[in-house]
């Protein structure tokens, strides 16, 4: 009985901490599974010609001039228009996730920036909720995000 109660308490504390956004990586993973994994897959490999990969591509976006802001804007406003990643063409609609709060979006961006084979470019720090709040205030949308795609990624 004590083991059962202790296990339940451990699960409750763990879910409370994750639910509060205190663990950005845990929160980001939870958001990724709920909103992104269906298209971009569990390993971030995407679906060739349909949904682009995030693994080994997110660092390229982050390293491009304006790429960090662009990535945050996509999460808030979505993306629509043809793109090319590693020589493969994609032309699906990336939905906006503006319904998610700033902490969850920051956690998600940190998750995709550091998962699989990805890491932040040298000198870049993790996303913060304040950074997402500032991006949200500019009201990005799928069309403006497409036009703002860094030239090095086109």
């Amino acid at each position: 009985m004590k083991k059962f109660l202790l296990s339940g308490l451990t699960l409750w504390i763990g879910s409370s901490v994750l639910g509060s956004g205190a663990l950005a990586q845990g929160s980001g993973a939870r958001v990724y599974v709920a909103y992104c994994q269906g298209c971009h897959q569990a390993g971030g490999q995407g679906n060739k010609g349909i949904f682009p990969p995030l693994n080994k591509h997110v660092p390229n976006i982050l390293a491009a001039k304006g790429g960090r802001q662009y990535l945050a804007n996509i999460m808030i406003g979505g993306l629509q228009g043809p793109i090319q990643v590693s020589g493969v063409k994609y032309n699906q609609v990336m939905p906006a996730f503006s319904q998610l709060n700033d902490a969850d979006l920051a956690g998600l961006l940190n998750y995709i920036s550091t998962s699989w084979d990805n890491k932040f470019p040298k000198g870049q720090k993790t996303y913060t909720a304040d950074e997402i709040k500032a991006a949200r205030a500019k009201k990005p949308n799928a069309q403006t995000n497409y036009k703002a795609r860094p030239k090095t990624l086109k």
Side-chain angles (χ1 to χ4, degrees), residues 28 124 136:
Q124 283 197 25
R136 190 186 300 270

Side-chain angles (χ1 to χ4, degrees), residues 9-79:
L9 180 61
T10 302
L11 283 173
W12 178 78
I13 290 170
S15 65
S16 296
V17 170
L18 285 174
S20 72
L23 297 176
Q25 189 72 2
S27 172
R30 188 180 74 244
V31 174
Y32 182 82
V33 169
Y35 294 94
C36 311
Q37 184 171 294
C39 296
H40 295 287
Q41 307 300 303
Q45 73 272 19
N47 193 333
K48 194 171 186 177
I50 302 171
F51 303 113
L54 301 176
N55 187 28
K56 299 180 182 176
H57 181 59
V58 169
N60 296 337
I61 297 172
L62 290 168
K65 184 177 179 181
R68 183 180 176 91
Q69 181 70 47
Y70 169 74
L71 201 54
N73 288 348
I74 288 174
M75 294 299 159
I76 297 163
L79 181 67

Side-chain angles (χ1 to χ4, degrees), residues 57-143:
H57 181 59
V58 169
N60 296 337
I61 297 172
L62 290 168
K65 184 177 179 181
R68 183 180 176 91
Q69 181 70 47
Y70 169 74
L71 201 54
N73 288 348
I74 288 174
M75 294 299 159
I76 297 163
L79 181 67
Q80 185 172 3
I83 64 169
Q84 190 167 321
V85 177
S86 300
V88 179
K89 294 179 182 181
Y90 298 90
N91 195 6
Q92 298 292 325
V93 174
M94 164 78 182
F97 294 107
S98 58
Q99 76 276 18
L100 298 174
N101 69 44
D102 298 335
D104 281 342
L105 285 175
L108 172 60
L109 286 163
N110 291 328
Y111 177 77
I112 67 169
S113 298
T114 59
S115 292
W116 317 298
D117 297 313
N118 294 344
K119 62 182 179 178
F120 280 104
K122 187 176 181 179
Q124 283 197 25
K125 58 187 181 344
T126 57
Y127 283 91
T128 65
D130 286 341
E131 187 175 1
I132 302 306
K133 182 179 181 179
R136 190 186 300 270
K138 296 177 182 175
K139 302 185 185 315
N141 63 57
Q143 291 74 35

